[in-house]
Amino acid sequence: MPSDPLAAEAPTLQTVFDALEDPDCRAILEQLDRPMAAKELCEACEIPQSTTYRKLDMLSDASLVDERTEIREDGRHTTRYVADFEEINVSLTEEGTLDLSIDRTESTPEQRLTKLWSEVRTET
């Protein structure tokens, strides 16, 4: 079966731990019960906008947040962020190493199209 060209590269265990250890990142995740713009997140979390963007990058690198482009008829598209996991599991393998798994809900066709559009906009 071919791999998903839009699938994110799996984050390292340390990258996920670093994001979850950060209080601002946790505050952002707690707010993401619906898609939100960075400005909405900085207001809700009471953190500066520049910090919000850095923390969103950190969460994105950890594959915990997904960036989506909201297409508008007027052409003024906006970026919204969503939590991109249901559950995070860390387990000890038989070899004595830690194993990370991030459970996600399956994307709808609309979400996959939005992700593809976001990737196209990033590349252009």
Side-chain angles (χ1 to χ4, degrees):
M1 182 167 143
S3 63
D4 181 355
L6 299 177
E9 186 176 316
T12 66
L13 187 65
Q14 190 62 52
T15 301
V16 174
F17 283 167
D18 288 345
L20 292 175
E21 188 271 334
D22 187 282
D24 291 334
C25 287
R26 288 194 312 271
I28 289 170
L29 288 173
E30 290 169 6
Q31 292 297 319
L32 286 176
D33 57 349
R34 62 181 173 80
M36 295 179 76
K39 184 175 181 178
E40 293 173 300
L41 285 166
C42 75
E43 291 170 0
C45 299
E46 298 180 352
I47 55 178
Q49 194 165 358
S50 60
T51 301
T52 301
Y53 280 108
R54 282 196 312 273
K55 301 307 177 172
L56 286 167
D57 284 343
M58 191 174 186
L59 289 164
S60 180
D61 290 345
S63 296
L64 302 178
V65 167
D66 190 27
E67 181 179 319
R68 298 190 179 154
T69 302
E70 182 179 286
I71 310 291
R72 295 183 178 173
E73 287 184 20
D74 64 5
R76 300 183 75 196
H77 310 314
T78 186
T79 300
R80 300 246 179 231
Y81 297 89
V82 295
D84 194 27
F85 68 96
E86 290 289 322
E87 187 172 283
I88 299 170
N89 295 296
V90 178
S91 59
L92 188 63
T93 66
E94 290 181 10
E95 295 80 26
T97 60
L98 293 176
D99 183 51
L100 171 72
S101 66
I102 300 175
D103 296 334
R104 304 176 196 289
T105 56
E106 190 170 325
S107 299
T108 65
E110 180 181 271
Q111 290 169 330
R112 289 192 300 273
L113 180 60
T114 300
K115 175 90 171 156
L116 179 60
W117 178 253
S118 293
E119 292 296 322
V120 168
R121 289 194 62 198
T122 301
E123 295 296 322
T124 57

